[in-house]
């Protein structure tokens, strides 16, 4: 059996080939709705052997493939050595169209186990899965090449330290940067086995491993405990410590360096604005009231030492980050897929959302654009009310959304967090990103969900 997909790409063939050879390229191309994990990547690209862990229902199998027939700048082929198919060969071909554009052709030839019976039972389903996967890969590649192409000539390749690189945003940002030719140091609470440039830190102990920050051009701080859990007093303390105290420790460490990085991009949140009804909010809007706005303000102010040292500080105020790999969308999917989804409360509250690819793109913009400073709202340009979000997700999944969740049930389950996060209305606009010329990959909710869920 054969599947083929061709796309025009906004980069020379040699650049597209080179993108595929860099660390992080494979992770960028993994569809987020699939249960696939890169276990190991061994050897030079020309003979690289890749080992994957693949979820098949309740089972997990290993899939091993190896590169061969590599023609630098033109093609490479990978074939299954061991895995779920009777045979699998995937040829990637890159053809020059002009000095600035190319055509990429992916051709997959495969056989299912079980011969004719396997084809009858699973042939159509497998072909649909391959088509979804390849369409997603081509969209991501085109978007990444466009993003890196826009920054060419503005600055050289960067060396970036990412604090919290294993989290939802960090695990997407790091491969985006490395596949674009930048070097990334992954900094977390524990060292990642088999991962190059992995460093540890522990702000509670005043520790950051030697080499984590020295020589970095920029630092991206994404550290912070998960805010989407019931806010007990102990949890509130953990939220504050992991944001305010950790950022203050990092900023003071950067300020004390002889040659500090030029840029610090630090996570924040649109929780800064609080519950504001239908009011349109930009970076110029005042802080709201309550625990979350106060936490966000203290979080942003904890970078003062870095700012006084002359480091350009950007506070990326994230909205609701959409990714099936984690966060709110991942928690919504199981009930919605069962047809048990529904609006929260009366559904009139605004939700300011953003796709994970635009989160990565906005952080990249903040790293590259020296005019961006201070708070930057990282939200899509079209916030929606909760009832519209609910209907759209149901439509994308092909499921009814007939089960609203009343406010008292949310307050019983989540306490104070229900009013601050689930029932509050925050209508935020990305004014500074728009002024900087950033182009959203997913400006509409339905387009974002269809991309992220392969629908």
């Amino acid at each position: 059996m054969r599947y083929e997909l061709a796309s025009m790409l906004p980069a020379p063939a040699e650049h597209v080939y080179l993108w595929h050879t860099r660390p992080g390229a494979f992770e960028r191309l993994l569809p987020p709705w699939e249960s696939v994990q890169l276990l190991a990547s061994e050897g030079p690209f020309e003979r690289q052997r890749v080992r994957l862990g693949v979820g098949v229902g309740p089972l997990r199998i290993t899939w091993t493939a190896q590169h061969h027939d590599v023609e630098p700048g033109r093609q490479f082929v990978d074939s299954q050595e061991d895995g779920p198919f009777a045979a699998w060969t995937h040829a990637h071909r890159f053809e020059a169209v002009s000095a600035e554009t190319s055509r990429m052709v992916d051709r997959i030839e495969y056989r299912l186990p079980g011969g004719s019976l396997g084809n009858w039972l699973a042939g159509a389903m497998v072909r649909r899965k391959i088509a979804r996967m390849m369409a997603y890969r081509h969209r991501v590649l085109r978007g990444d090449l466009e993003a890196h192409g826009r920054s060419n000539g503005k600055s050289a390749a960067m060396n970036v330290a990412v604090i919290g690189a294993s989290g939802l945003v960090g695990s997407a940002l790091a491969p985006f940067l490395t596949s674009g030719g930048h070097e990334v140091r992954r900094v977390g609470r524990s060292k990642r086995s088999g991962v190059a440039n992995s460093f540890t830190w522990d702000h509670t102990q005043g520790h950051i491993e030697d080499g984590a920050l020295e020589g970095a051009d920029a630092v991206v701080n994404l550290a912070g405990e998960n805010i989407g859990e019931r806010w007990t007093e102990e949890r509130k303390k953990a939220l504050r410590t992991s944001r305010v105290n950790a950022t203050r420790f990092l900023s003071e460490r950067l300020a004390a360096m002889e040659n500090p990085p030029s840029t610090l991009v630090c996570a924040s949140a649109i929780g800064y604005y609080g519950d504001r009804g239908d009011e349109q909010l930009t970076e110029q809007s005042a802080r709201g009231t309550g625990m979350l706005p106060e936490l966000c303000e203290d979080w942003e102010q904890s970078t003062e030492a870095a700012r006084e040292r002359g480091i350009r500080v950007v506070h990326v105020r994230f909205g609701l980050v959409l990714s099936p790999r984690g966060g709110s969308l991942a928690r919504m999917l199981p009930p919605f897929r069962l047809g048990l989804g529904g609006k929260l409360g009366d559904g009139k509250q605004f939700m300011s959302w953003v796709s994970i690819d635009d989160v990565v793109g906005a952080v990249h913009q903040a790293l590259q654009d020296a005019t961006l400073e201070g708070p930057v709202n990282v939200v899509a340009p079209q916030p929606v009310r909760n009832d519209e979000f609910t209907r759209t997700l149901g439509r994308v999944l092909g499921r009814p959304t007939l089960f609203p969740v009343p406010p008292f049930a949310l307050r019983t389950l989540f306490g104070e967090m229900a009013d601050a996060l689930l029932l509050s209305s925050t209508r935020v606009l990305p004014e500074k990103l728009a002024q900087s010329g950033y182009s959203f990959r997913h400006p509409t909710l339905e387009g974002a969900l269809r991309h992220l869920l392969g629908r």
Side-chain angles (χ1 to χ4, degrees):
M1 302 178 75
R2 174 184 290 186
Y3 177 85
E4 185 172 302
L5 181 64
S7 288
M8 297 293 293
L9 297 173
E14 295 82 359
H15 289 191
V16 181
Y17 169 85
L18 187 61
W19 186 95
H20 282 83
T21 69
R22 291 176 179 143
F26 190 82
E27 291 93 327
R28 284 297 293 160
L29 297 177
L30 284 177
W33 63 83
E34 295 284 8
S35 178
V36 179
Q37 181 182 5
L38 178 63
L39 301 178
S41 180
E42 304 163 348
F45 184 79
E46 293 77 8
R47 301 185 302 278
Q48 193 171 64
R49 179 177 279 105
V50 176
R51 207 155 45 85
L52 307 174
V54 181
V56 182
L59 305 176
R60 196 154 192 87
I61 63 174
T62 300
W63 187 354
T64 304
Q66 184 165 20
H67 292 169
H68 58 90
D69 291 337
V70 175
E71 299 177 27
R74 297 183 62 188
Q75 78 165 27
F76 69 96
V77 182
D78 57 76
S79 294
Q80 174 185 289
E81 291 185 340
D82 181 46
F85 290 85
W88 171 281
T89 298
H90 181 180
H92 315 248
R93 185 78 181 173
F94 313 103
E95 303 169 352
V97 174
S98 71
E100 299 299 329
T101 59
S102 58
R103 181 173 181 263
M104 183 177 73
V105 181
D106 277 302
R107 178 177 298 146
I108 301 172
E109 297 183 351
Y110 62 99
R111 286 188 291 109
L112 299 179
S116 298
L117 179 60
N119 290 339
W120 181 75
L121 290 173
M125 178 193 71
V126 170
R127 184 172 180 83
R128 286 194 300 270
K129 285 175 68 73
I130 292 173
R132 289 173 67 199
M133 174 185 71
M134 297 309 298
Y136 173 85
R137 289 168 63 117
H138 280 226
R139 289 194 303 269
V140 168
L141 177 59
R142 185 182 301 110
D144 282 14
L145 291 171
E146 287 174 348
H148 291 300
R150 283 192 296 269
S151 66
N152 284 349
K154 292 183 179 179
S155 64
M158 297 180 295
N159 190 314
V160 183
V162 179
I163 316 290
S166 62
L168 179 63
V169 174
S171 60
L173 176 65
F176 169 83
L177 292 173
T178 54
S179 60
H182 304 290
E183 183 177 337
V184 171
R185 306 173 192 187
R186 294 167 171 84
V187 186
R189 286 175 290 186
S190 59
K191 192 176 287 288
R192 299 179 65 187
S193 177
V195 176
N197 292 329
S198 177
F199 299 87
T200 61
W201 86 318
D202 184 345
H203 65 89
T204 64
Q205 301 297 318
H207 161 75
I208 188 160
E209 189 175 353
D210 289 344
L213 302 176
E214 290 78 6
D217 300 304
V219 174
V220 179
N221 177 27
L222 303 170
E225 293 287 338
N226 179 17
I227 204 164
E229 297 180 9
R230 189 181 181 94
W231 292 354
T232 62
E233 290 305 313
E234 183 178 353
R235 190 65 187 167
K236 287 181 183 180
K237 182 178 178 181
L239 293 175
R240 174 165 289 274
T241 299
S242 66
R243 286 163 171 76
V244 179
N245 296 5
T247 302
R248 183 179 297 114
F249 164 72
L250 174 63
S251 298
E252 290 173 352
R253 182 59 65 93
L254 294 175
M257 293 174 62
E258 183 177 351
N259 295 300
S262 61
T263 302
L264 170 61
V265 177
C266 191
S268 183
I270 61 169
Y272 176 92
Y273 303 107
D275 186 358
R276 305 287 278 271
D278 292 354
E279 180 184 356
Q280 291 191 349
L281 303 164
T282 71
E283 291 86 353
Q284 306 303 316
S285 300
R287 172 178 70 80
T289 58
M291 192 280 282
L292 193 53
E294 292 171 5
L295 173 62
C296 289
E297 181 178 54
D298 292 345
W299 191 5
E300 294 182 5
Q301 289 181 348
S302 64
T303 61
E304 191 59 29
R307 187 178 295 104
E308 290 179 352
R309 182 66 169 83
I311 298 171
R312 178 174 65 94
V313 178
V314 184
H315 302 288
V316 279
R317 291 177 178 168
F318 295 137
L320 176 67
V321 178
L322 299 185
S323 170
R325 288 197 174 113
S328 297
L329 181 60
R331 290 192 291 271
M332 293 178 199
L333 286 175
F336 271 79
R337 281 173 170 151
L338 292 172
L340 301 176
K343 65 185 180 181
L344 304 180
D346 65 8
K348 300 305 180 186
Q349 67 272 31
F350 271 99
M351 301 174 65
S352 296
W353 60 273
V354 60
S355 77
I356 185 66
D357 286 318
D358 279 317
V359 169
V360 166
V363 172
H364 182 235
Q365 185 88 345
L367 289 169
Q368 296 280 347
D369 189 341
T371 67
L372 283 175
E373 195 164 1
V376 174
N377 293 334
V378 180
V379 292
Q382 298 182 28
V384 299
R385 296 187 188 275
N386 174 258
D387 56 2
E388 182 180 345
F389 187 101
T390 299
R391 290 194 304 272
T392 303
L393 180 55
R395 183 166 59 250
V396 169
L397 293 173
R399 295 290 187 273
T401 54
L402 304 176
F403 295 90
V405 185
F408 79 85
L410 292 170
R411 292 178 181 124
T412 300
L413 287 171
F414 301 108
E416 180 184 354
M417 190 198 79
D419 286 299
L421 286 181
L422 304 178
L423 297 171
S424 66
S425 181
T426 314
R427 188 182 186 183
V428 183
L429 302 177
E431 186 174 83
K432 280 191 176 180
L433 274 180
Q435 292 171 350
S436 75
Y438 180 76
S439 178
F440 281 85
R441 296 195 198 191
H442 307 296
T444 66
L445 178 62
E446 183 160 345
L449 291 173
R450 292 195 179 281
H451 168 75
L452 292 167
L453 300 175
R455 307 297 289 246

